[in-house]
Every structure is written in structure tokens, then in C-alpha cells.
């Protein structure tokens, strides 16, 4: 089941992207209630065991880039979850869309840096 989660997650997003809008506020709550933040941080807030999901890629990334990053990271995450005896969560289509919206919005709303 652990290996199916990312596949189902991305399949749900691609299959229902036009019919199921995500909500980043709900995604943030889901990220916390499903204890993703025990391992992952977002922009420095949360766990330190796994990558910071708000700082993984450049500011100009697209939803496709985010999806491919998640897809490519999945095998490493599954291994770490098995080693740490972390149980995978079950996320429905709406939850997957909300998480995706949350991850995507993390970099979108950052304050611009100071080039000076």
C-alpha cells in the first residue's frame, strides 16, 4: 500500500485536475493532521528528517515539475518510511488536490528577495 500512495496521489491529480480544485489551507491542515510535519518541514517549520518541501526547487517551477519531483522522491520516501516504521496515510482525491495546492503555494507567495 505504501508504494501505491504516490501513484494514486498523482493519478488522482492528473485524472481530476479539471474537476477538483485544491485548497491550500485545507492542504496545510491535512499536512499537519496526517503528521507529515513530523519528518518534513515547509519553509523551515516542521521536522528535519526529510526534505523541506517549501525549498526543494526553484521559484519558477510548474505544477508538472512539482509532480515529477514528488514522483522521483517516492522510492526514497518509501524506504525511509519502512525503516522508520511510519505507516502511510490514506488520502482521498480531494485531500491529494489540497496537498498539491499547499505544496505549490508555498513558493508562490514568498516575499521577493533583495538583490542588493
Amino acid at each position: 500500500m505504501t508504494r501505491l500512495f504516490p501513484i494514486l496521489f498523482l493519478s488522482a491529480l492528473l485524472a481530476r485536475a479539471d474537476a477538483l480544485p485544491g485548497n491550500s489551507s485545507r492542504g496545510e491542515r491535512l499536512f499537519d493532521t496526517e503528521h507529515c510535519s513530523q519528518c518534513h518541514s515547509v519553509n523551515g517549520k516542521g521536522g528535519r528528517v526529510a526534505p523541506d518541501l517549501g525549498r526543494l526547487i526553484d521559484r519558477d517551477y510548474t505544477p508538472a515539475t512539482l509532480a515529477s519531483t514528488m514522483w522521483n522522491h517516492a522510492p526514497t520516501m518509501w524506504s525511509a518510511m519502512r525503516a522508520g516504521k511510519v505507516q502511510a496515510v490514506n488520502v482521498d482525491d480531494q485531500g491529494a488536490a489540497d496537498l498539491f495546492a499547499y505544496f505549490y503555494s508555498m513558493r508562490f507567495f514568498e516575499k521577493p528577495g533583495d538583490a542588493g
Side-chain angles (χ1 to χ4, degrees):
M1 183 64 185
T2 303
R3 292 179 184 220
L4 290 178
F5 173 72
I7 295 168
L8 295 174
F9 178 81
L10 292 173
S11 297
L13 289 174
L14 295 174
R16 305 273 317 253
D18 61 329
L20 196 61
N23 179 294
S24 62
S25 296
R26 285 192 311 249
E28 180 178 17
R29 284 191 301 275
L30 186 60
F31 185 78
D32 289 333
T33 60
E34 294 299 330
H35 308 291
C36 304
S37 59
Q38 287 182 345
C39 295
H40 286 281
S41 58
V42 176
N43 294 331
K45 180 184 173 190
R48 304 269 186 254
V49 176
D52 185 324
L53 300 176
R55 297 183 178 152
L56 279 178
I57 46 184
D58 293 331
R59 186 175 175 83
D60 62 346
Y61 69 96
T62 64
T65 305
L66 176 59
S68 68
T69 300
M70 292 171 67
W71 182 268
N72 291 333
H73 171 65
T76 304
M77 183 177 70
W78 296 328
S79 295
M81 289 174 73
R82 275 193 305 277
K85 299 190 183 336
V86 176
Q87 187 173 0
V89 297
N90 290 320
V91 177
D92 62 9
D93 290 351
Q94 184 64 62
D98 293 343
L99 282 170
F100 190 85
Y102 173 56
F103 297 149
Y104 189 72
S105 72
M106 287 297 86
R107 294 302 296 270
F108 185 79
F109 295 108
E110 278 185 334
K111 293 179 183 175
D114 180 4

